[in-house]
Amino acid sequence: MLALWNKVWRSIPRAAESLAALLRPSAYTCLQCGRKDHFAAASIPLLCRECRDSIPWIVRIHCAVCGRPDSCGDCARRHVAAFICNRSAVRYNDTIRQWLALYKYRGHEGLEPVLGDMLLTAYKRLLQEMDNRQERFRIDAVIPVPVSQQRLQERGFNQSERLAGYIAQHDAIPLLDILRRTRHSGKQSFKTRAERLTDSRGLFAAEETAALQLFDLNPGRRLRLLIVDDIYTTGSTVSACAEAIREELKKHGSAIPAEIYSITLARS
Amino acid sequence: MRVALYVVLLSAGSKAMWSIAPEVDQAYWLDAQYRGEAERIFRQQPSPLAEGLLLWPELLPLGIAAAVAGQWPAGDNEPPDEAAVRAALERLVSDAWVADAGGGAAAQRAPVARAELVRGASERGVDREDARALAARARRAAALLQGRALLGSEALALLAAADAAGPAAGAAQAPWRAAAPALQLAALLGQLRLGGAVAPQPQPRLLRWPLAQRAGSRRLLRCQRCGSGEARMRRTPCAICGRMCNYCEACLTMGRSRECGLLILGMPAHRAAPLQQAAPASGSCSERLDRWQLSPAQAAAAAAALQYIEGGYPTKQKSFWGRLCKSLWGAGERRSAAPDTLDSARRQFLLWAVTGAGKTEMIFPLLEACLERGGRALVATPRRDVVLELDPRIRRAFPRAKVVTLYGGSSQRWESGEITLATTHQLFRFREAYDLVVIDELDAYPYHNDPMLHYAAYHVCASGGCTILLSATPPAELRRAADQRRLAHVRVPVRFHRYPLPVPVRIRIPAVMQLLQLSKLPRRLVQPLKQSIDRGAQLFMFVQQIRHVGPLVQRLRSAFPHISIDGTSSKDPERSEKVVRFRERSIRLLVTTTILERGVTVPRSDVFILDADGRLFDEASLVQMAGRAGRSKEDPAGRVYFCAPAYSRSQQSAIRQIRGMNKLAQRSGYLLPKGMQPAKLPIEK
Ligand SMILES: [Zn+2]
Ligand SMILES: [Zn+2]
Ligand SMILES: [Zn+2]
Ligand SMILES: [Zn+2]
């Protein structure tokens, strides 16, 4: 296990470099801290060195289920997992909270490539990890966690769908936007843990017609689906999404066993 | 958002319009009674109704609808031919979609819908009471939004805040659906302007028709709020309008300005009497200045500014700022963001006051003059802490005026008053709103080289109003304009305590990078440091790079173990605590970056600028850093050192500027007589 993580760890600098490649030296405005001393018309994503160094990468995973870097009570308590495991790129600390707020609430979509790149790091690690366990590990489809219609109208985009797009594009995997929110739940951040857990039960459902795309996939012995979200907190959102997908598969009497994984940008 | 598009068929001619509440438009154009009620409440002359409306049968993205409306041919005042209008509308809508997609393949995507003709008012007719109530709400909204430039969501918040304060207190924030009819009616009556927050620059009317003929030619977009051009636009797929849609990255911190989002412009604020035409205030100029207890230099500058504001200068002179705006936006774009027609009506005055001159006191008489005439004044400054510090001083000086203080997160966000104090970014929320605009530190971050903030500062001043630019280090362009008498200005060459500015002394030492490699700090640096420490001064040490702060602090600590030394930078979370401790003298030497070049005033301080030849320290920043020394009456002759291996042009100009000011102060007789100046620096153990 340790050897595996060493290997994974070694891959991180490379990911950071690809990030760096996007982010040429800072004669430009840093996308993140937005210092404008050097007025630049650059539209490619740029971070200054300090912002890059402040990314709290998760380098060592403690809980094999949820990908948390510390020990974890949630997963031990849970009986039936609707999904196999979650992996996250970074810890959800103040820095990441700010970045995500800037992206989601402020609508700084220019940050997207940076976040997408960070998410890809977690995805590549998941592949590597799974490759070691089983042969020919491949994800058949990426499924973003949906936002409510109201949120979509305010924001203009669904961050999970956008981020999922980076994975879909990277490996040419279909992106299936098949889930819908059954009700508009309030802001997650205002709720207690227990509230979140009960609230998200039955919060998602697959959209009938869109979900048919699931059956157009051409999986191997098993169907491997990847749920993508921005933040993993209690796992209730991912669980609810996974359940909704399983429900839909069951409804259509699908015979192929499904494995559901999850990737999020941040783990809180 | 998506809006309704329609063509009004008038008895002579036709025009295309878009609406956020089409039922209001329909009643406005076709129902005489409704129109009558609205015009009565707005006290407007009756205007002709329409023969009919041609409604586009589906909602369109704001950008598309606005493009069609903007390209509608001016017409020939003939009664419109319905078939021709219908054809033109369908073609323009289709062209707009094609142009939006960048021409070519997407042409088929244009909806092949047919417009619907509406002749009469809706059958039920309009309830007079409802019409009256809506018109009253529209009038109130128009009044509340006067002088404002707000995004849709901001306007909603402002109206809600006003309701909460007014009779309908306690009501929940009205949803957009509820506010839209009132806004739309006010817009139809010309009391508001609704537009896309990001939109093409308006074209001269004559050009429209030929341009409209050329499908596929996309016009250049500009953020209508901050003036940024194509370079700051980001085009993303948008779930709100269902197409690729641009938003402005430049003013993102103030809420997202986007192509399918509204920008609501209130009418320009009108004032009781234009500043320069109003009857002169009671008392002579000197009498009016007396109550403010200014130093001779301050009084002279305030008097000059006052005279300018009140019309001492011809208003015909071509505005300097207008041209500055123009030059900043470059030659690539056809129309200047700062229309020439307004220039002659907006005047600028540069108040060039050295660091420590006491510029706040100088603006008091100007604010007073503005208030006496029933005008509204704005003081804008780049930093929030300066706003918070100014707030009590202004309130104390003008106890009877309503003062509104605006910054990110301010509780007075949607209020308006006679004096507004704001951080620079708040200026985007106003348009032609103030008769007197005072822009403090216009050369400082974030104004520095930022055309967007210049645009905001320019547009916030009402036509006929006056803008006072305050700076200790005006940018070269302004200085040139002042020298060539293109820009009215006055210099305040002396500090409030009437001692000359400390002239920087050069010390030739290696760059900080090399300094950190050396085993010992050079004597040439240690000597003056020791002198300053011994005389009991507080020592500012400026460096260029944040990464030099830590190592340098270590070196200095080992060289001067008996005093407390610390460092800070923009990345330091404890920055403000350290500044407090520096002020309280529990830190004696503070190593820092340009972050403290302005605003921080510590009595009895000396200034060491390392790498003074470095790229990041320009003339202005050197003058500002040097300006930290000798600020107090008790220790007016602080010491300033430029430490560098080379003597750069910036250092030369900074020293020349400081000497020049001292000379001017001498000539003008502002300096205290020699005998009153302390011969020697006080020594403190
Ligand atoms: Zn940065
Ligand atoms: Zn776990
Ligand atoms: Zn849009
Ligand atoms: Zn903008």
Side-chain angles (χ1 to χ4, degrees), chain B residues 197-198 223-228 233 248-252 257 428 452:
Chain B
V198 166
C223 174
Q224 299 300 308
R225 179 167 64 163
C226 77
S228 298
M233 297 296 138
C248 172
E249 279 194 335
C251 60
L252 199 55
S257 159
F428 291 129
M452 161 176 94

Side-chain angles (χ1 to χ4, degrees), chain B residues 458-668:
Chain B
Y458 177 83
H459 281 283
V460 78
C461 184
S463 150
C466 187
T467 301
I468 307 285
L469 310 171
L470 277 182
S471 177
T473 45
E477 182 126 15
L478 283 184
R479 270 155 50 190
R480 213 172 309 126
D483 287 345
Q484 297 170 0
R485 301 189 177 280
R486 285 183 285 128
L487 172 65
H489 71 287
V490 67
R491 267 176 249 215
V492 186
V494 70
R495 289 179 162 173
F496 75 94
H497 55 47
R498 304 180 62 188
Y499 291 91
L501 299 164
V503 177
V505 174
R506 288 174 51 212
I507 303 182
R508 265 177 71 125
I509 54 163
V512 176
M513 268 254 270
Q514 274 102 55
L515 223 56
L516 294 170
Q517 312 291 321
L518 300 176
S519 56
K520 257 178 74 183
L521 290 175
R523 240 180 63 86
R524 265 192 285 229
L525 177 61
V526 173
Q527 201 70 40
L529 278 172
K530 206 169 138 10
Q531 280 173 12
S532 283
I533 293 167
D534 289 347
R535 82 174 190 95
Q538 291 296 93
L539 279 72
F540 278 100
M541 183 174 279
F542 290 99
V543 295
Q544 297 232 332
Q545 306 288 338
I546 295 176
R547 66 196 148 89
H548 289 158
V549 172
L552 199 60
V553 167
Q554 293 309 320
R555 299 302 301 271
L556 290 164
R557 278 182 183 155
S558 54
F560 301 98
H562 58 288
I563 61 162
S564 117
I565 296 172
D566 218 322
T568 190
S569 72
S570 57
K571 300 275 166 181
D572 183 2
E574 292 169 44
R575 188 172 84 220
S576 34
E577 290 97 272
K578 281 180 187 164
V579 170
V580 170
R581 278 164 54 211
F582 184 59
R583 235 183 223 131
E584 291 167 348
R585 299 177 63 89
S586 65
I587 294 174
R588 287 288 308 281
L589 192 165
L590 188 63
V591 181
T592 178
T593 56
T594 45
I595 191 78
L596 294 188
E597 91 179 20
R598 288 159 201 260
V600 178
T601 301
V602 179
R604 191 187 294 278
S605 44
D606 290 350
V607 173
F608 290 79
I609 300 161
L610 303 193
D611 287 347
D613 57 345
R615 188 176 52 86
L616 292 179
F617 294 160
D618 58 7
E619 177 185 349
S621 121
L622 290 170
V623 169
Q624 289 287 352
M625 289 184 287
R628 299 305 101 208
R631 292 291 281 264
S632 64
K633 214 186 220 143
E634 290 67 37
D635 182 48
R639 302 168 180 189
V640 179
Y641 299 94
F642 284 174
C643 316
Y647 191 39
S648 62
R649 184 184 288 272
S650 300
Q651 293 173 73
Q652 291 172 37
S653 335
I655 291 179
R656 197 182 314 125
Q657 192 182 130
I658 291 169
R659 285 222 169 95
M661 283 297 191
N662 284 344
K663 232 175 266 165
L664 180 60
Q666 178 83 54
R667 262 209 317 276
S668 317

Side-chain angles (χ1 to χ4, degrees), chain B residues 1 61 236 238-246 258-261:
Chain B
M1 69 189 309
T236 61
C238 169
I240 301 166
C241 63
R243 66 194 258 263
M244 291 297 281
C245 163
N246 286 278
R258 80 176 311 164
E259 216 179 328
C260 67

